[in-house]
Amino acid sequence: MQTNPRRTVLGFRLLTVVIGLLLLLIIGAYSIRTDNFEGEQNFASRVDYIKDQCDDYTSLSLATESKSMLRIAEACEQCARDIQTGTDAVEAEVLSRCVENHYLTGVAVLDRDGNVVQYFSKEGALPQQLLQELATAPLLDVAAHPKKTYSVRLVCDDDSYLDLAAS
């Protein structure tokens, strides 16, 4: 029994092609799996880094806001001490000195109902958002309790901040 050399060569080539394709599929699948795993790891590490950076930024932002609120509350108490005189009328000069001495943008004196009695502002007129905040109950409650201080941060339409304090 003789084997046909042409048939054995053809069978050998077919077997080589099948083995080559199998190896190619195995290596391709392994490569895809490895690339996906490394991509997931890389993505996860970047997300963790961004999360850490956001947490740091949030902490810094909160610390800055807290410092600003404490500073404005202290400046408000200082202005209240500067303004306290024996007379009911508060002069604009006293308010302008308070603004300059305590590095404020403006000072307003209110009556117990939240109406502006006298004010001084470097900007000119008081912003509408500020006038709305002046009529809130927590701010007006400060007049009834002399040791109480009220402070709030308002976000303006242009994404700037307006810190407000009452004493």
Side-chain angles (χ1 to χ4, degrees), residues 3-167:
T3 59
N4 186 355
R6 191 168 181 206
R7 199 172 188 177
T8 56
V9 170
L10 185 61
F12 179 73
R13 286 185 182 170
L14 183 62
L15 181 64
T16 340
V17 168
V18 169
I19 291 173
L21 286 175
L22 271 171
L23 283 174
L24 184 64
L25 284 174
I26 291 170
I27 291 170
Y30 179 75
S31 175
I32 289 172
R33 183 171 173 243
T34 304
D35 286 348
N36 282 341
F37 179 75
E38 287 179 7
E40 287 174 6
Q41 293 297 324
N42 192 6
F43 182 71
S45 70
R46 286 183 186 193
V47 167
D48 288 341
Y49 174 77
I50 290 171
K51 181 184 165 290
D52 290 343
Q53 292 298 313
C54 287
D55 288 345
D56 290 347
Y57 179 76
T58 300
S59 296
L60 181 63
S61 179
L62 288 173
T64 302
E65 182 178 347
S66 297
K67 285 180 187 178
S68 178
M69 297 305 289
L70 286 172
R71 186 191 74 76
I72 197 72
E74 178 61 30
C76 182
E77 290 173 358
Q78 289 289 335
C79 285
R81 284 192 285 274
D82 292 351
I83 291 172
Q84 284 180 346
T85 60
T87 63
D88 289 336
V90 178
E91 297 179 13
E93 295 173 20
V94 174
L95 295 181
S96 68
R97 277 198 316 266
C98 283
V99 168
E100 292 301 319
N101 293 341
H102 301 294
Y103 305 104
L104 301 172
T105 306
V107 171
V109 177
L110 308 176
D111 62 8
R112 290 190 182 272
D113 298 324
N115 300 319
V116 178
V117 175
Q118 180 76 5
Y119 78 92
F120 177 81
S121 175
K122 292 180 182 178
E123 307 286 317
L126 294 174
Q128 185 62 33
Q129 187 176 7
L130 178 64
L131 291 173
Q132 291 171 352
E133 186 66 28
L134 293 178
T136 60
L139 187 131
L140 296 176
D141 193 40
V142 172
H145 302 89
K147 295 196 182 245
K148 185 175 182 180
T149 301
Y150 172 79
S151 62
V152 67
R153 175 168 272 194
L154 305 173
V155 180
C156 299
D157 294 335
D158 61 353
D159 289 334
S160 63
Y161 299 109
L162 180 67
D163 292 335
L164 171 70
S167 178

